[in-house]
Amino acid sequence: MAEAEFHWTVPADHPAFPGHFPGRPIVPGVVLLDRAILFAEEMLGRPGLAWQIGNAKFFSPVAPEEALTFALVQKPSGAIALAVRATNREVATGSLTPPVP
């Protein structure tokens, strides 16, 4: 079982911001999930896997230039539990299911 923490600061010029939402940009949940998948692949040393989202809950919006911490824990089943936190609040939780061999 693997376990790791990753840090990511959302770039102010991220391409998702113009559509989400003009005047008050927030990071779409899919961007957080994509980042979690990249971190999971880095943690396992296995890029390019076809992960499935087991579940995801979003608790708090994320703004440009916010610093985030992604905590990932691999379960015995191979699934990855994830939690995303900003400095003083929980942002999201979820799980990634690995592809079937």
Side-chain angles (χ1 to χ4, degrees):
M1 269 195 326
E3 187 172 328
E5 272 192 2
F6 297 89
H7 302 280
W8 182 57
T9 299
V10 182
D13 63 349
H14 193 283
F17 286 136
H20 294 90
F21 293 92
R24 187 172 185 265
I26 63 169
V27 177
V30 69
V31 171
L32 298 176
L33 293 172
D34 182 62
R35 183 58 49 177
I37 288 169
L38 293 173
F39 289 146
E41 291 175 346
E42 183 179 331
M43 178 179 76
L44 299 174
R46 297 180 58 204
L49 296 176
W51 292 94
Q52 295 180 359
I53 308 304
N55 62 64
K57 293 183 182 183
F58 302 96
F59 305 110
S60 180
V62 176
E65 299 185 346
E66 262 198 275
L68 302 174
T69 300
F70 289 71
L72 283 74
V73 178
Q74 185 179 30
K75 302 297 184 181
S77 66
I80 304 280
L82 66 102
V84 183
R85 291 196 55 80
T87 303
N88 58 355
R89 68 188 195 286
E90 188 175 34
V91 171
T93 60
S95 66
L96 306 173
T97 304
V100 177

